[in-house]
Amino acid sequence: MPTIIVPLDGSPFAERALRPACSIAARLERSRVLLVSCTDDIDDMQRRLDDLAGLYADVVAVETRRVAHGDPADVLLATAATEPEATLCMATHGRGGISSAVLGSVAKRVICGSTQPLVLVGPHCRTALLPAEHGRLLVCSDGSDFSDSIVPTAAMWCDRLGLEPWLTEVVGPDEDPEPADRPVPNREVEAARKRLDELAPQLGTSSTKVGIEVLHGAPGRSIPDFAERLPAALIAIATHGRSGLTRITMGSVAVEVVRHAPCPVLITRPTDDRTCVDR
């Protein structure tokens, strides 16, 4: 049974992950949502968990679990490890269990320690896919093998959630537009489109059309802006585990994408990226 785990700490911001989590679970067969409390306020939090579970009881199976002791990041990782087909879906900041720093100390440690895909709900996320709604999953590449490691996971999510796959790569700002009377091929754009065309068969099937878009500008803003125009129900991007989201390759881009995304962001770490360095 697929399980979407939502960590809650009593803050309204942490609860922002609940609607996206339930919308994902509602599109999966025989799935459930597990609300995990990581606070010491047992009685009040249990009442809040019961209230939240009741809001979605007619949409998806929702269970609750209180954890009064233990490090929140360790608790979440241990919970995910013991639940079948578990995916953590968490807001990127909130007081207490998930701090107000960018992505938060707990979220960064969970990213660092998780071997499974995670869904992050950033501060500007305002969409949740309805069960019967046509949706799109936007997969981000930068032309590297590292970034393309997200593709198998994204393909599986497209299939299981019934989402239309899209691929995007961001090239430098188009500061010198081609004159209409003397068009000159943009080699950077052509190279990016060729890479995406070659990558598309790994994401789709013979009966599935994969959308392709080459963007210009800063990836951390261009990707969320395009996701809103598309619109995308989910963005998929690879990230490093070192220092949570390290500031190299796709790491810094992932931070900005999560921060500005209008929809949830699915992130993964490649299986050979298992070194977490606190620096």
Side-chain angles (χ1 to χ4, degrees):
M1 174 186 293
T3 301
I4 310 298
I5 301 171
V6 183
L8 299 174
D9 60 4
S11 71
F13 197 95
E15 294 173 8
R16 287 171 56 89
L18 183 56
R19 184 178 293 273
C22 289
S23 72
I24 291 172
R27 294 175 76 95
L28 296 172
E29 294 183 2
R30 298 183 297 277
S31 63
R32 64 170 180 155
V33 173
L34 176 61
L35 309 183
V36 178
S37 163
C38 301
T39 70
D40 295 328
D41 191 0
I42 298 298
D43 293 334
D44 287 345
M45 193 61 197
Q46 183 60 57
R47 285 192 292 269
R48 183 57 181 165
L49 291 177
D50 291 340
D51 289 343
L52 292 172
L55 291 176
Y56 297 92
D58 294 334
V59 177
V60 66
V62 184
E63 299 178 16
T64 66
R65 183 175 302 173
R66 298 175 303 169
V67 181
H69 304 288
D71 178 85
D74 292 341
V75 166
L76 294 176
L77 290 170
T79 301
T82 57
E83 294 295 332
E85 299 182 68
T87 299
L88 276 162
C89 179
M90 59 196 303
T92 57
H93 69 76
R95 64 174 175 81
I98 302 174
S99 74
S100 59
V102 175
L103 292 186
S105 60
V106 172
K108 288 195 291 185
R109 290 173 58 204
V110 168
I111 294 167
C112 186
S114 177
T115 59
Q116 300 297 323
L118 304 170
V119 175
L120 299 181
V121 179
H124 296 288
C125 178
R126 54 187 178 276
T127 61
L129 192 65
L130 298 175
E133 183 180 3
H134 177 78
R136 300 177 176 92
L137 191 154
L138 181 61
V139 185
C140 306
S141 173
D142 67 0
S144 68
D145 291 341
F146 173 85
S147 69
D148 294 346
S149 66
I150 187 72
V151 171
T153 298
M156 181 181 67
W157 279 62
C158 283
D159 180 61
R160 297 188 68 182
L161 296 177
L163 301 179
E164 176 187 341
W166 276 73
L167 273 168
T168 188
E169 182 174 337
V170 183
V171 300
D174 193 4
E175 297 176 354
D176 187 18
E178 301 167 1
D181 58 337
R182 290 183 292 106
V184 178
N186 187 320
R187 290 188 175 87
E188 191 176 10
V189 171
E190 287 185 338
R193 185 169 293 277
K194 181 180 178 181
R195 285 192 295 269
L196 296 180
D197 284 339
E198 293 173 349
L199 193 60
Q202 300 179 40
L203 188 61
T205 64
S206 58
S207 60
T208 302
K209 180 181 177 181
V210 179
I212 290 176
E213 186 76 13
V214 178
L215 304 174
H216 293 269
R221 295 306 297 264
S222 298
I223 292 169
D225 288 347
F226 179 66
E228 185 159 21
R229 296 195 306 271
L230 195 56
L234 195 65
I235 297 172
I237 191 168
T239 184
H240 287 284
R242 297 186 293 276
S243 297
L245 291 178
T246 189
R247 298 289 173 174
I248 58 175
T249 315
M250 292 295 285
S252 59
V253 173
V255 170
E256 291 301 307
V257 168
V258 172
R259 180 184 296 166
H260 299 290
C263 58
V265 179
L266 172 69
I267 68 169
T268 64
R269 279 194 299 132
T271 55
D272 59 351
D273 183 49
R274 292 287 179 258
T275 302
C276 295
V277 180
D278 187 13
R279 61 184 180 209

